[in-house]
């Protein structure tokens, strides 16, 4: 059995533009640029044969999924496990503010050693985010669709892909990845340009 997954990050929000951390507790709409990005993504995806989109419940991901669904004429289903990672008390803070306030944690989170147990105060660890994403993706392997769209977030996508051998990396808004599930194995195929 083979399933193809086209996994995409949401379009831009005002928090993305100003380098503020959203996490799962900050739920803003796409801004004007984000809506344009979502439409460009939809144009890129429309010929891939997607049968259904599974989306994070957060507005920025769901609005991006809506743009793709409108272009591909497929249904959307909310999957709570696809939400962004919880960044605890750092949600809503500016990136530089987090770096200054928590320099040791910053170095652990972004360090080359990739400590999967690192977490921001009150937030999820990288491992917990990755585990939650695997719960979502493993459920999707049991659905009837063979070609699936997935709308999620940079942190959640990043730690899922890390388990497949891709990352760490910066991820622009509406980045699109192709992943294959075949014979019980997850395979990272490519970042789609």
């Amino acid at each position: 059995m083979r399933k193809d997954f086209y996994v995409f990050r949401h379009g831009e929000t005002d928090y993305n533009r100003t380098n503020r951390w959203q996490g799962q507790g900050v739920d803003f709409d796409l801004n004007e640029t984000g809506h344009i990005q979502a439409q460009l993504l939809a144009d890129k995806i429309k010929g891939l044969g997607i049968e259904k989109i599974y989306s994070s419940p957060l507005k920025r991901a769901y609005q991006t999924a809506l743009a793709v669904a409108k272009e591909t004429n497929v249904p959307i289903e909310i999957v709570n496990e696809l939400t962004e990672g919880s960044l605890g008390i750092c949600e809503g803070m500016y990136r530089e503010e987090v770096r200054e306030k928590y320099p040791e944690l910053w170095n652990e989170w972004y360090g080359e050693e990739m400590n999967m147990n690192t977490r921001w105060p009150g937030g999820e660890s990288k491992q917990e985010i990755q585990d939650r994403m695997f719960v979502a993706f493993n459920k999707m392997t049991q659905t009837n669709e063979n070609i699936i769209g997935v709308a999620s977030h940079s942190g959640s996508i990043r730690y899922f892909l890390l388990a497949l051998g891709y990352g760490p990396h910066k991820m622009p808004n509406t980045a699109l990845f192709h992943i294959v599930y075949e014979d019980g194995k997850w395979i990272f195929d490519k970042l789609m340009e």
Side-chain angles (χ1 to χ4, degrees):
M1 173 191 74
R2 173 182 168 127
K3 287 192 179 230
D4 290 87
F5 292 83
Y6 292 95
V7 182
F8 51 91
R9 183 186 179 199
H10 61 81
E12 184 185 84
T13 67
D14 287 339
Y15 265 46
N16 293 137
R17 179 171 285 176
T18 57
N19 287 316
R20 289 180 79 175
W21 282 10
Q22 294 173 105
Q24 62 182 234
V26 177
D27 194 12
F28 280 105
D29 294 318
L30 297 179
N31 61 21
E32 185 178 345
T33 299
H35 283 289
I36 292 168
Q37 291 170 336
Q39 185 56 54
L40 292 171
L41 173 68
D43 292 340
K44 185 190 299 189
I45 287 179
K46 69 182 171 186
L48 297 176
I50 289 175
E51 300 162 66
K52 188 171 185 177
I53 299 170
Y54 292 88
S55 175
S56 157
L58 296 178
K59 291 176 188 174
R60 55 196 185 268
Y62 187 73
Q63 289 170 352
T64 305
L66 278 174
V68 175
K70 183 178 177 184
E71 204 62 45
T72 57
N73 197 30
V74 299
I76 301 172
E77 183 176 323
I78 296 293
V79 176
N80 290 328
E81 291 91 351
L82 294 173
T83 195
E84 180 60 294
S86 171
L87 304 175
I89 64 173
C90 296
E91 291 182 1
M93 293 172 66
Y94 289 96
R95 183 178 174 88
E96 286 304 312
E97 186 182 2
V98 175
R99 186 191 316 217
E100 288 173 14
K101 191 168 183 173
Y102 301 103
E104 289 180 22
L105 266 178
W106 182 274
N107 290 333
E108 279 184 40
W109 190 268
Y110 290 107
E112 292 180 19
E113 295 171 15
M114 197 53 67
N115 180 347
M116 295 297 287
N117 295 314
T118 302
R119 75 178 69 236
W120 301 100
E124 287 178 289
S125 71
K126 295 176 186 180
Q127 189 64 59
E128 288 167 334
I129 296 168
Q130 186 182 85
D131 291 347
R132 174 169 48 75
M133 289 293 281
F134 268 103
V135 167
F137 275 86
N138 285 331
K139 284 181 186 175
M140 287 184 275
T141 66
Q142 304 303 310
T143 66
N144 294 325
E145 307 86 31
N146 292 317
I147 304 175
I148 296 170
V150 179
S152 191
H153 306 267
S154 62
S156 295
I157 295 170
R158 178 178 298 115
Y159 299 115
F160 177 69
L161 294 180
L162 186 64
L164 308 185
Y166 183 77
H169 53 280
K170 289 192 70 121
M171 187 181 303
N173 290 103
T174 65
L176 175 63
F177 303 90
H178 180 226
I179 299 167
V180 175
Y181 181 79
E182 190 167 22
D183 298 327
K185 294 180 185 171
W186 288 102
I187 302 158
F188 173 80
D189 180 38
K190 63 184 172 184
L191 167 63
M192 299 182 70
E193 300 298 332

